[in-house]
Amino acid sequence: MSISGWAKTAETWLMTHVPGADWLMLFGAAMVVLTGLALLIWLLRLVIRAVGSLANEGKARGARRRNAPGFRILISSPPKDRAAGKWLESALSQYLPIFSFGAPFSLVPMGTMKGGLESRAIVRARKRMATADADMFLWASRTGNGERGLELHGLSRGGGLTASEARLFTLALPGSRKVRTDDLARAVAYLVTKQLQPALSDPQAFRAEKIRLLANDLDSLLAGDPAISQALRAEIEADFCASGVRVAEELGDVSALDKVIVMRRKHLEAASEAADTGRVLQARLELGRALIVRAEKQFDQNVVREAITQLSQAVEGLRADPMILRAQSASDALFKAQSMIESRKRFSLNFGS
């Protein structure tokens, strides 16, 4: 008997001996259709993913071939919030030139990026960076509307690193769309620019005239009170204070000095015993230097005494710093070795080898 004959016989038997067989057959047919649809959707997703991956690979290769001067930044949107990606792209386009002192750059959109800080996502980002010869890769994770609802992840080659050495960083931003203001955009642009140019944290790395521009921009940024975490605000305040002190010392411009003194005093008052020792020492050094400049403009014995107190505590803290102690130990050993060489030379000259 043929297969079609067996199928017809089985169907006849089911309809005769099994109650509700007609509904059972309909259910089976529906399951076959649903399974086929699920398989089709799965295949479509695979195709879309493959096409997207090829498109991103093409964008990365195209960015490398263009060989445009300046920074090359790859940027991906969160999987379920393309609007956040557009906002981040707009923030960097508008404000990154301000904080990078007009350095040229190009933004290369790379679609969406899943995985957050999973190792496979980071590996994929490094590969795309290497393909595009990019200086930075940015992608984001959307987790809600809270203070850390939008986490901006990135890999930066700032400081001359290769793609495999690029530093991983994360900026925790608020997730609510209502707080995506112009001030928040400026804050994000500055924090990203710092990853591209780590020297922004060291005002001595730039001419004082440039640092004055940076101090003014950071002052305006902080006055806008962007919706960022206290940790990020403290980081920006520290950079503003360092810039303000440099400008006051070298250019005699004390317009930011009073704000620096107020900020550093508040920071030290709020610092707990478990606070970051490095930041506390930095705050003491900047407060002491700012007070000295203030006293030079208008002498006040109490101001000078406060400066002496802050600088003395900073010096004591530096002496106890493990890195300083190791450096001192290495310096002592080096001096001892050099002394031995000099002693041996004198001995050879006087008495022979």
Side-chain angles (χ1 to χ4, degrees):
M1 185 181 291
S2 64
I3 294 177
S4 59
W6 277 109
K8 187 174 289 186
T9 301
E11 181 181 350
T12 302
W13 187 89
L14 281 172
M15 295 297 290
T16 303
H17 297 88
V18 178
D22 52 345
W23 291 104
L24 183 62
M25 293 178 67
L26 287 172
F27 176 76
M31 289 301 297
V32 170
V33 171
L34 290 174
T35 302
L37 286 173
L39 181 60
L40 181 61
I41 292 172
W42 180 71
L43 289 173
L44 283 174
R45 285 182 174 177
L46 283 181
V47 171
I48 291 172
R49 189 178 301 172
V51 170
S53 179
L54 289 173
N56 288 329
E57 184 75 9
K59 289 179 183 178
R61 292 184 183 279
R64 186 180 190 127
R65 285 195 298 270
R66 283 196 297 271
N67 200 25
F71 298 115
R72 186 176 299 143
I73 304 171
L74 310 181
I75 182 167
S76 289
S77 301
K80 297 182 180 180
D81 193 354
R82 289 181 180 272
K86 293 292 184 182
W87 176 78
L88 288 169
E89 190 175 336
S90 175
L92 295 179
S93 297
Q94 188 172 359
Y95 294 113
L96 192 145
I98 295 175
F99 297 114
S100 63
F101 305 119
F105 70 97
S106 58
L107 289 175
V108 184
M110 299 294 291
T112 60
M113 178 85 162
K114 295 181 180 180
L117 288 176
E118 294 179 8
S119 58
R120 59 182 180 180
I122 298 172
V123 169
R124 191 159 63 247
R126 290 189 189 278
K127 286 182 178 178
R128 289 187 187 174
M129 284 183 73
T131 300
D133 191 24
D135 298 281
M136 176 176 281
F137 191 108
L138 294 172
W139 71 99
S141 300
R142 179 68 189 274
T143 59
N145 293 323
E147 188 180 73
R148 299 180 62 93
L150 181 64
E151 292 190 336
L152 180 61
H153 313 298
L155 287 167
S156 174
R157 293 172 55 190
L161 304 176
T162 65
S164 60
E165 299 167 339
R167 291 186 308 276
L168 179 66
F169 66 92
T170 295
L171 302 176
L173 306 173
S176 176
R177 297 184 183 184
K178 295 179 181 179
V179 299
R180 291 178 189 170
T181 61
D182 192 60
D183 293 310
L184 181 60
R186 285 195 293 169
V188 171
Y190 174 69
L191 293 167
V192 168
T193 307
K194 273 189 65 177
Q195 297 296 330
L196 276 173
Q197 293 181 296
L200 282 175
S201 295
D202 179 16
Q204 306 298 325
F206 300 91
R207 289 187 292 107
E209 289 77 12
K210 280 192 173 183
I211 293 302
R212 174 159 52 187
L213 296 175
L214 177 64
N216 292 337
D217 290 330
L218 293 182
D219 186 17
S220 175
L221 191 164
L222 291 169
D225 195 21
I228 54 177
S229 66
Q230 190 56 42
L232 291 180
R233 184 178 179 87
E235 181 179 343
I236 297 174
E237 285 183 352
D239 292 344
F240 165 71
C241 291
S243 301
V245 171
R246 166 94 189 278
V247 170
E249 288 178 335
E250 294 201 18
L251 300 180
D253 184 350
V254 297
S255 57
L257 204 59
D258 290 336
K259 291 181 181 179
V260 170
I261 292 171
V262 170
M263 285 183 184
R264 296 294 80 182
R265 281 173 174 167
K266 284 185 177 179
H267 179 85
L268 292 172
E269 288 172 1
S272 62
E273 292 183 0
D276 185 340
T277 304
R279 289 199 172 187
V280 171
L281 289 175
Q282 187 65 29
R284 293 194 186 282
L285 285 170
E286 288 165 0
L287 178 55
R289 289 165 59 196
L291 290 170
I292 288 174
V293 175
R294 171 56 64 205
E296 287 176 343
K297 297 295 180 182
Q298 185 177 358
F299 181 77
D300 186 325
Q301 193 171 16
N302 293 327
V303 170
V304 176
R305 285 175 177 171
E306 183 183 358
I308 293 172
T309 299
Q310 296 297 341
L311 292 173
S312 298
Q313 292 180 6
V315 170
E316 289 301 319
L318 288 171
R319 285 176 178 169
D321 186 273
M323 290 297 293
I324 300 296
L325 292 175
R326 284 196 290 271
Q328 184 61 51
S329 177
S331 177
D332 292 343
L334 179 61
F335 177 76
K336 184 177 181 179
Q338 290 173 335
S339 298
M340 289 173 64
I341 293 293
E342 292 299 323
S343 297
R344 182 63 182 175
K345 284 181 178 178
R346 288 195 298 270
F347 180 84
S348 299
L349 289 173
N350 294 327
F351 304 105
S353 58

